[in-house]
Amino acid sequence: MAVKQVNAVQLLTYYSLGRWIVEEQQEGSRRAKYGQQVIKKLSVKLSEKFGRGFSEDTLKNCRKFYLIYKDRISETVFDLFAVEKSETVFCFFKDQMPFSLQWSHYLVLIRIANADERSFYEIEAAKSGWNVRTLQR
C-alpha cells in the first residue's frame, strides 16, 4: 500500500510539474514560443532550489506526460493535490488510481504516438503486471 501511494505521489508530482510548465510557463500552448529556453531556465532554477531530479529531459518528459494524460485528473482533484496539498486527495482514488503503472512505464508509453496503441499497452501492462522490459518489447 505504501509503495502504491509513493508511486501515486511521484506521478501526480510529475503531472503537476508538466501542467505548471504548459499552463503557466508556456501559457497553455503545446510549445513555448521561444523554443527550449523555458525548459533550460526551469531546469537550472529548480535544480538550484530543490537539488537533483530536474534535468531538461525530466522536465520535457513531465510536459509530455501532462499533455498526453491531462484529461485523467479533474481540476478539483488537481487542486487538492497541488494547491491545497491535501492528503484527502487519495480518497478520490479509492477505486481507481488515474495512473496504475510506474513512472518508468509511462516514459515508454509517452513515446507511442498512436493514442489507441498507447492505451492498449498501458491496460495490458497494468493487467498483466509487465515490467518495463516486457512493455518495451
Side-chain angles (χ1 to χ4, degrees):
M1 182 70 155
V3 170
K4 284 184 178 184
Q5 287 203 343
V6 168
N7 186 55
V9 168
Q10 180 186 28
L11 289 167
L12 289 172
T13 300
Y14 285 144
Y15 177 92
S16 300
L17 187 54
R19 184 180 190 272
W20 179 71
I21 291 168
V22 171
E23 302 298 335
E24 301 296 324
Q25 301 301 309
Q26 297 177 182
E27 299 174 346
S29 63
R30 287 185 72 82
R31 287 221 175 282
K33 292 179 180 101
Y34 33 90
Q36 298 291 73
Q37 295 305 312
V38 167
I39 296 293
K40 281 183 183 178
K41 288 179 182 177
L42 286 174
S43 176
V44 170
K45 286 183 179 182
L46 290 171
S47 295
E48 286 173 358
K49 187 169 183 171
F50 299 109
R52 292 179 35 171
F54 297 99
S55 69
E56 290 179 42
D57 287 339
T58 298
L59 296 180
K60 287 177 191 174
N61 286 330
C62 289
R63 178 180 60 192
K64 193 168 185 179
F65 182 64
Y66 169 72
L67 288 169
I68 290 172
Y69 296 107
K70 66 182 174 184
D71 296 330
R72 287 241 179 128
I73 299 177
S74 72
E75 196 65 32
T76 304
V77 173
F78 178 79
D79 285 344
L80 278 174
F81 176 77
V83 178
E84 297 177 28
K85 296 173 180 43
S86 173
E87 294 175 17
T88 61
V89 72
F90 291 103
C91 294
F92 289 99
F93 302 138
K94 274 191 282 192
D95 300 323
Q96 183 65 33
M97 293 294 285
F99 306 110
S100 54
L101 300 170
Q102 295 176 1
W103 177 243
S104 54
H105 288 80
Y106 287 104
L107 290 176
V108 174
L109 291 169
I110 64 176
R111 291 182 180 97
I112 300 173
N114 182 297
D116 292 333
E117 184 179 345
R118 185 174 49 248
S119 179
F120 170 80
Y121 283 111
E122 181 180 9
I123 291 166
E124 286 300 311
K127 187 170 69 175
S128 302
W130 290 353
N131 62 27
V132 177
R133 286 188 181 183
T134 303
L135 176 59
Q136 286 172 327
R137 254 193 328 253

